[in-house]
Amino acid sequence: MSATALLDNNHYEQACDQAIAMCDGNLRSTIKALIMANEYLEAELEELQAAIAAGCIPETSRSKMRSNSAA
């Protein structure tokens, strides 16, 4: 296994440990929280995709465009 793969695996191990600790060691609560977070991110992605399809530029992109043109 390469060093990069080991570092990536270690990152995921630490993230798992942190998520479990945040749920006081309750694995069911940890899984539930991760599912809820994933659903939230999926809904956010769908909103952004719909806005882009409608020709809207998300506010964060507008801010970046303004700051880049002012520079």
Side-chain angles (χ1 to χ4, degrees):
M1 192 178 288
S2 71
T4 305
L6 287 173
L7 289 174
D8 287 344
N9 189 46
N10 189 39
H11 169 76
Y12 292 121
E13 290 293 330
Q14 289 177 350
C16 287
D17 291 343
Q18 183 180 11
I20 293 167
M22 290 174 65
C23 292
D24 296 324
N26 185 319
L27 297 181
R28 185 175 182 85
S29 293
T30 303
I31 293 168
K32 184 177 177 182
L34 292 172
I35 290 169
M36 291 171 66
N38 192 57
E39 287 177 349
Y40 171 81
L41 291 172
E42 287 176 351
E44 188 83 6
L45 178 61
E46 287 176 14
E47 287 180 23
L48 287 169
Q49 288 173 331
I52 290 167
C56 298
I57 300 174
E59 185 60 36
T60 55
S61 295
R62 283 190 211 145
S63 302
K64 289 178 185 176
M65 288 174 67
R66 282 188 212 125
S67 64
N68 287 342
S69 63

